Amino acid sequence: EEGINVLFGVEAFSEDHSCATLKAVSICASVALVLSEQLHKPTRCGSFKNFSYVVSSGQQRKISHENDEVSDKTVVYDLLKLGCPLSVQSSEPFKPIIDVYDGETFVKEVDVNYVLWEQHGRAGYKYSKTMKEVGCMREAQSWEKMINSMKGGSIESAWSRENYQTCFQESADGSISADNLYERYEILNSSGAASHIVWTDVGTFVFLLKVLDPEFSFCNLTVEFGVQVHGVRSAMQEIPTFVVLGSACLTIMALMLSAFHTTALCSE
């Protein structure tokens, strides 16, 4: 019996780009960043309902790709969007711990590089380490450099996972120089060797946190949150409280002794 030869062809089709985009959007829609501190912060903060504050021109960062004139700015705190702000002392180093959630399910802690951008251009904080101290082999990216090199778009979009470059590898094209490794390193990481935030002012801050590492996720992972920075009370500020409490205790003791003696005399 003769065999039957069957001829067939296979034609490969590339996935339509719009379909791939829709799939990515669908997957990323349920993925969110959550600050670990937010899980333990107060859920009620009535003082921030209808709360507004002024960021003076002297409190703002002088970074703008359009060289806009800086003026005082009134900010209305969006409690519905941001929730209660994290409460920190100005003397405490600050580096948020971020977790990734898929819906209500914890996925993992973010252990890669991320950056913070103060949404209203406020200064009042700096970074604890220089590029040299963290081991950069060339000058690292920074908000000022990224904003100055951007071509249109919002300022906070100037630095993202799409244009992130590490400073721990030598540049192949020399696009980022190693001239100044003594500038502050503005990239944060859960590693103890990385920078943390040092507060130089008190008040309300609103941050956008953005994950930079493109290998961590194909989703653009961001989260916004508020921080209320409180000043440290000095020893002189603590004295009135101590005096009031001490006086109250002495008064109570005197009244108790007086009552005891009165009772003793009346019983004789």
Side-chain angles (χ1 to χ4, degrees):
E1 183 177 349
E2 294 183 0
I4 300 175
N5 294 325
V6 179
L7 299 177
F8 64 92
V10 177
E11 184 174 357
F13 295 90
S14 60
E15 183 178 28
D16 183 75
H17 179 70
S18 61
C19 291
T21 302
L22 287 173
K23 286 182 179 179
V25 170
S26 177
I27 294 171
C28 293
S30 62
V31 178
L33 294 182
V34 177
L35 272 71
S36 294
E37 292 91 337
Q38 284 183 315
L39 299 176
H40 308 289
K41 73 178 184 179
T43 55
R44 295 182 180 179
C45 45
S47 61
F48 281 89
K49 186 177 181 180
N50 301 320
F51 173 72
S52 63
Y53 58 98
V54 175
V55 181
S56 69
S57 58
Q59 292 177 306
Q60 297 178 45
R61 299 179 69 175
K62 307 301 188 292
I63 299 178
S64 173
H65 66 297
E66 297 176 350
N67 294 318
D68 297 330
E69 184 176 344
V70 177
S71 58
D72 294 355
K73 179 188 297 186
T74 299
V75 178
V76 177
Y77 187 85
D78 192 338
L79 183 59
L80 183 63
K81 178 182 179 181
L82 301 170
C84 295
L86 304 177
S87 181
V88 301
Q89 295 294 324
S90 60
S91 60
E92 298 175 355
F94 180 72
K95 182 163 58 175
I97 298 173
I98 323 110
D99 299 325
V100 179
Y101 276 78
D102 185 355
E104 299 294 325
T105 305
F106 170 79
V107 178
K108 66 176 298 184
E109 180 182 318
V110 174
D111 56 0
V112 296
N113 292 338
Y114 62 88
V115 289
L116 295 177
W117 174 255
E118 212 291 325
Q119 293 284 66
H120 305 293
R122 183 169 183 178
Y125 62 96
K126 62 182 181 179
Y127 297 87
S128 63
K129 294 190 177 182
T130 64
M131 300 174 190
K132 186 176 182 64
E133 287 173 331
V134 299
C136 286
M137 299 175 66
R138 57 192 172 101
E139 191 172 350
Q141 292 173 315
S142 67
W143 278 110
E144 183 173 7
K145 294 180 180 67
M146 301 308 289
I147 290 170
N148 289 338
S149 64
M150 71 181 294
K151 297 178 176 62
S154 60
I155 289 179
E156 60 266 25
S157 66
W159 201 358
S160 66
R161 58 189 296 275
E162 284 79 17
N163 59 13
Y164 166 67
Q165 296 182 38
T166 179
C167 70
F168 300 107
Q169 298 174 355
E170 293 185 358
S171 176
D173 57 5
S175 58
I176 302 180
S177 69
D179 294 339
N180 191 357
L181 296 181
Y182 293 95
E183 293 184 15
R184 292 290 158 179
Y185 185 67
E186 299 183 5
I187 299 173
L188 303 180
N189 193 300
S190 59
S191 166
S195 277
H196 61 255
I197 295 294
V198 177
W199 303 108
T200 59
D201 197 3
V202 297
T204 307
F205 296 78
V206 177
F207 288 104
L208 169 69
L209 184 152
K210 183 184 300 187
V211 174
L212 286 183
D213 195 325
E215 301 298 326
F216 186 74
S217 171
F218 60 80
C219 301
N220 288 316
L221 299 176
T222 64
V223 63
E224 293 180 72
F225 61 96
V227 179
Q228 184 67 20
V229 182
H230 304 277
V232 179
R233 292 172 64 89
S234 67
M236 291 302 295
Q237 289 175 311
E238 297 291 346
I239 288 176
T241 302
F242 173 78
V243 171
V244 170
L245 291 175
S247 300
C249 291
L250 290 174
T251 301
I252 292 172
M253 290 178 64
L255 289 173
M256 291 177 64
L257 288 173
S258 176
F260 174 78
H261 285 296
T262 301
T263 303
L265 289 173
C266 291
S267 62
E268 291 180 357

